[in-house]
């Protein structure tokens, strides 16, 4: 068995290393078994050292940001979960924001507004970190991260730093090359445009009111459960299949918005997965449309 504490103790404090950490504490679903080891580097240099050590020891690792768009299975995660949420800095440079990966998308949107910079309004209500938003090219209400990214700084599997411009990221619908190339986002530079702060605030308020009206924000979820099939809306297909309120254990298709699967309070990852399979099978049987999960699933059953 790997002596995880010894692996990192030369450069991380003891309170930056947790063993058998329940992942339910770190996902917006509020679901997930324990990670063997959970580490919380506070600087890019510490993150680099963590990557070097796990690579040298041949230990599997997973990079965790804000825990949105993620389902951790019930037996948890073998190896090391590397939490980037302590990488926290925002530097304002003219029309640009230079943002560390762990900063929440909501905080970035608020900071942009305070500097009279427009472009992040769509992301004000998106949960999770800006690093995660870059990885999946998060979007809502007609905006996407690819519209505002100028460049991204990443580490490769060996801890070497790379700088990628927007074109190198292969950004598409809920896609970037970052997972395929096993890169780890450390910073992103956002290029925004000047706009009156009051107008930005008004638009963000309007979008957040729309979210509250249409989405089941009072329940834990991972956001939209399925990707949007070309030519369709996943939520409408699920509703038309008669699955509004459909439940497996503690998991339920939201009655408010059928595109969301929610944790009613005691859902397991197995409940969520079974419900997703049922929904996908019934939609395909009725409409011939294959629903592809937007939620990333990791860990063991």
């Amino acid at each position: 068995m790997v002596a995880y504490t010894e692996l990192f103790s030369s450069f991380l404090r003891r309170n930056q290393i947790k063993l058998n950490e329940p992942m339910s504490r770190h996902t917006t679903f509020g679901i997930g078994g324990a990670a063997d080891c959970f580490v919380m580097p506070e600087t890019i240099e510490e993150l680099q050292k963590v990557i070097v050590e796990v690579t040298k020891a041949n230990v599997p690792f997973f990079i965790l940001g804000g825990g949105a768009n993620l389902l951790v299975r019930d037996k948890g995660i073998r190896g090391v979960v590397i939490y980037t949420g302590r990488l926290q800095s925002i530097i304002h440079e003219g029309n640009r924001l230079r943002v560390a990966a762990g900063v929440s998308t909501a905080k970035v949107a608020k900071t942009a507004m305070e500097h009279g910079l427009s472009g992040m309004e769509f992301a004000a209500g998106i949960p999770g970190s800006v690093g995660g938003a870059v990885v999946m090219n998060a979007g809502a209400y007609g905006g996407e991260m690819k519209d505002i990214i100028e460049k991204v700084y990443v580490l490769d599997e060996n801890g070497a730093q790379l700088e990628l411009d927007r074109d190198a990221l292969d950004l598409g619908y809920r896609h970037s090359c970052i997972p395929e190339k096993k890169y780890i986002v450390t910073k992103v530079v956002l290029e925004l445009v000047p706009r009156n702060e009051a107008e930005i605030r008004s638009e963000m308020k309007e979008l957040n009111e729309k979210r509250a009206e249409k989405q089941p924000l009072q329940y834990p979820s991972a956001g939209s459960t399925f990707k949007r099939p070309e030519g369709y809306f996943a939520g409408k297909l699920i509703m038309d299949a008669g699955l509004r309120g459909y439940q497996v254990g503690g998991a339920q298709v939201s009655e408010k918005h059928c595109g969301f699967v929610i944790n009613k309070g005691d859902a397991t990852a197995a409940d969520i997965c079974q419900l997703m399979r049922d929904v996908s099978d019934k939609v395909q049987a009725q409409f011939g449309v294959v629903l592809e999960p937007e939620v990333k699933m990791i860990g063991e059953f």
Side-chain angles (χ1 to χ4, degrees):
M1 185 175 173
V2 180
Y4 290 111
T5 304
E6 292 175 19
L7 204 59
F8 308 118
S9 59
S10 65
F11 58 92
L12 295 183
R13 301 186 309 277
R14 184 65 191 87
N15 64 4
Q16 290 176 271
I17 308 166
K18 295 185 177 183
L19 303 180
N20 299 312
E21 176 68 5
M23 291 301 294
S24 56
R25 297 175 180 172
H26 303 284
T27 66
T28 58
F29 248 141
I31 292 172
D36 290 343
C37 181
F38 187 92
V39 297
M40 298 166 278
E42 295 179 352
T43 65
I44 292 171
E45 292 70 31
E46 287 182 351
L47 176 58
Q48 283 179 292
K49 289 177 183 177
V50 169
I51 299 300
V52 167
E53 289 302 321
V54 293
T55 301
K56 194 164 40 173
N58 199 28
V59 172
F61 66 90
F62 176 76
I63 302 296
L64 177 74
N69 200 50
L70 182 67
L71 178 65
V72 178
R73 297 185 176 107
D74 296 315
K75 288 190 178 176
I77 301 174
R78 305 290 69 81
V80 177
V81 171
I82 304 170
Y83 176 61
T84 59
R86 293 194 177 181
L87 302 179
Q88 291 281 328
S89 66
I90 303 180
I91 298 170
H92 172 225
E93 300 169 338
N95 291 347
R96 293 171 176 80
L97 293 180
R98 187 178 293 267
V99 187
V103 181
S104 73
T105 49
K107 184 175 179 181
V108 180
K110 182 172 183 289
T111 303
M113 177 191 71
E114 289 169 349
H115 288 290
L117 294 174
S118 177
M120 272 295 286
E121 290 88 337
F122 74 92
I126 294 178
S129 66
V130 73
V134 170
V135 170
M136 68 171 293
N137 185 29
Y141 297 109
E144 291 180 290
M145 291 301 296
K146 72 179 180 65
D147 301 330
I148 55 176
I149 291 171
E150 180 179 75
K151 56 186 163 184
V152 175
Y153 294 87
V154 300
L155 303 180
D156 68 13
E157 286 183 283
N158 300 310
Q161 296 194 67
L162 304 171
E163 180 184 319
L164 306 173
D165 64 22
R166 176 170 37 204
D167 292 340
L169 293 167
D170 189 26
L171 295 166
Y173 176 65
R174 303 298 177 266
H175 173 270
S176 75
C177 71
I178 292 167
E180 297 147 25
K181 297 194 174 181
K182 298 183 179 177
Y183 290 151
I184 300 149
V185 176
T186 60
K187 280 185 292 189
V188 56
V189 178
L190 302 175
E191 186 175 16
L192 304 167
V193 294
R195 186 184 181 192
N196 179 274
E197 181 183 338
E199 291 177 4
I200 298 171
R201 188 183 299 275
S202 175
E203 182 175 338
M204 283 169 51
K205 181 173 181 286
E206 182 183 337
L207 292 179
N208 283 333
E209 285 171 355
K210 278 187 185 176
R211 279 191 176 90
E213 180 188 340
K214 295 180 179 178
Q215 297 179 9
L217 302 182
Q218 68 272 40
Y219 291 104
S221 80
S224 296
T225 308
F226 297 98
K227 293 181 180 178
R228 185 179 67 242
E230 193 170 346
Y232 298 90
F233 290 99
K236 186 172 190 314
L237 287 169
I238 295 165
M239 180 179 68
D240 290 348
L243 294 167
R244 184 191 293 276
Y246 177 73
Q247 195 156 341
V248 174
Q252 185 186 55
V253 174
S254 168
E255 295 178 282
K256 192 171 187 180
H257 188 316
C258 292
F260 285 67
V261 172
I262 59 174
N263 176 3
K264 291 280 283 186
D266 58 355
T268 63
D271 292 340
I272 300 284
C273 288
Q274 185 60 57
L275 184 147
M276 288 176 65
R277 280 193 295 270
D278 292 350
V279 165
S280 185
D281 289 348
K282 289 176 184 178
V283 166
Q284 187 171 5
Q286 289 192 44
F287 306 111
V289 179
V290 176
L291 292 180
E292 185 183 344
E294 185 165 313
V295 176
K296 181 179 174 64
M297 301 179 200
I298 61 165
E300 298 179 352
F301 278 119

